[in-house]
């Protein structure tokens, strides 16, 4: 029996509010993070991802108070990312109430931090947040971006996914920067390419617009499917996505 496909809402937080844009631009307010998190817990979300989208570009830590209040409100796994650079940052977030911690720019800047975090806390805690886009100059055709998709990292996305998991990342949050916020569908080629080189779960992110898109991501190999705007603005419900996955033959919780 294969594991259930997890359905995960993503809360992109900026200045204490949940926001959503297209390709990380033209941000629109979507509500209070703690209230939204509680609503998703009631709606059957399997996990929540909390990303402080301006933390790395502004060089500051994630809002710990918000994480603490969310952790007190919801009883499903909570993954938090944004501005994580060290073992100490992870320690603080876990003590604040996060179950998993995402790292992106910090790991690219200094890859051994992945080994350090995994050694200290176990790889089940560490999620590599991989913001990738199509980039002709890279061997695989996919390149890594940082700073909320604003800068090319000069890394091949598939090679980086492989290196990061070998160093100890226990999961990959694969966000297609080309598809982000477009509601035109997940980048299924990218999902399949990453799945082919890693043996950890892959969370597909970026581009969800219809139930069929979630099913396509699962067919491409995604172990979990993540979305923001379609859930925040009521286009789709968690229940509808789970029903669609189940109808396509995928186990759901």
């Amino acid at each position: 029996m294969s594991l259930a496909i997890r359905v995960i809402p993503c809360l992109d937080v900026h200045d204490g509010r949940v926001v959503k844009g297209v390709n990380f631009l033209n941000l629109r307010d979507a509500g209070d993070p703690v209230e939204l998190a509680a609503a998703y817990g009631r709606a059957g979300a399997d996990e929540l991802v909390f990303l402080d989208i301006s933390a790395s570009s502004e060089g500051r830590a994630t809002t710990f108070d918000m994480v603490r209040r969310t952790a007190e409100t919801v009883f499903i796994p909570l993954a938090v990312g944004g501005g994580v650079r060290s073992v100490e940052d992870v320690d603080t977030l876990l003590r604040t109430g996060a179950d998993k911690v995402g790292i992106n720019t910090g790991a690219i800047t200094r890859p051994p931090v992945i080994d350090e975090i995994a050694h200290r806390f176990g790889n089940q805690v560490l999620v590599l947040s991989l913001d990738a886009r199509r980039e002709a100059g890279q061997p695989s055709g996919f390149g890594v971006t940082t700073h909320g998709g604003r800068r090319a990292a000069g890394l091949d996305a598939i090679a980086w996914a492989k290196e990061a998991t070998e160093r100890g990342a226990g999961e990959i949050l694969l966000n297609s920067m080309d598809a982000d916020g477009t509601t035109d569908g997940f980048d299924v080629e990218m999902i399949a390419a990453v799945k082919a080189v890693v043996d950890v779960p892959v969370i597909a992110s970026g581009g969800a617009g219809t139930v069929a898109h979630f099913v396509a991501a699962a067919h491409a190999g995604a172990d979990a499917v993540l979305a923001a705007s379609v859930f925040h603005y009521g286009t789709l419900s968690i229940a509808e996505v789970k029903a669609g996955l189940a109808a396509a033959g995928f186990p759901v919780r």
Side-chain angles (χ1 to χ4, degrees), residues 56-171:
S56 280
S57 51
E58 293 174 7
R60 61 175 169 74
T62 303
T63 320
F64 298 119
D65 173 60
M66 204 185 309
V67 175
R68 186 179 294 109
R69 288 188 296 129
T70 303
E72 286 166 358
T73 308
V74 300
F75 304 99
I76 51 177
L78 176 64
V80 182
V84 173
R85 292 178 181 77
S86 66
V87 166
E88 291 72 30
D89 291 341
V90 175
D91 186 58
T92 304
L93 282 168
L94 294 176
R95 288 173 190 275
T96 305
D99 299 286
K100 301 178 187 177
V101 175
I103 190 168
N104 177 355
T105 307
I108 293 164
T109 308
R110 196 174 71 81
V113 75
I114 298 174
D115 308 68
E116 293 161 12
I117 293 166
H119 178 73
R120 170 91 175 265
F121 303 105
N123 66 353
Q124 78 287 345
V125 155
L126 188 60
V127 180
L128 179 79
S129 194
L130 177 52
D131 291 342
R133 65 179 174 209
R134 289 172 184 263
E135 205 176 294
Q138 296 297 343
S140 70
F142 299 107
V144 178
T145 70
T146 64
H147 297 78
R150 290 191 280 277
R151 294 187 201 168
L155 284 173
D156 183 277
I158 308 305
W160 174 234
K162 188 169 188 290
E163 179 186 341
T165 54
E166 285 169 354
R167 284 183 178 275
E171 195 163 28

Side-chain angles (χ1 to χ4, degrees), residues 4-94:
I5 302 272
R6 290 168 287 146
V7 179
I8 306 174
C10 181
L11 308 182
D12 292 325
V13 179
H14 176 71
D15 294 338
R17 299 288 290 177
V18 176
V19 294
K20 193 60 204 160
V22 177
N23 306 123
F24 280 62
L25 300 171
N26 303 320
L27 300 178
R28 191 152 70 108
D29 189 277
D32 175 74
V34 182
E35 288 172 15
L36 265 177
Y40 285 132
R42 293 190 296 270
D46 295 308
E47 290 183 20
L48 282 174
V49 168
F50 216 87
L51 295 177
D52 191 330
I53 59 170
S54 46
S56 280
S57 51
E58 293 174 7
R60 61 175 169 74
T62 303
T63 320
F64 298 119
D65 173 60
M66 204 185 309
V67 175
R68 186 179 294 109
R69 288 188 296 129
T70 303
E72 286 166 358
T73 308
V74 300
F75 304 99
I76 51 177
L78 176 64
V80 182
V84 173
R85 292 178 181 77
S86 66
V87 166
E88 291 72 30
D89 291 341
V90 175
D91 186 58
T92 304
L93 282 168
L94 294 176

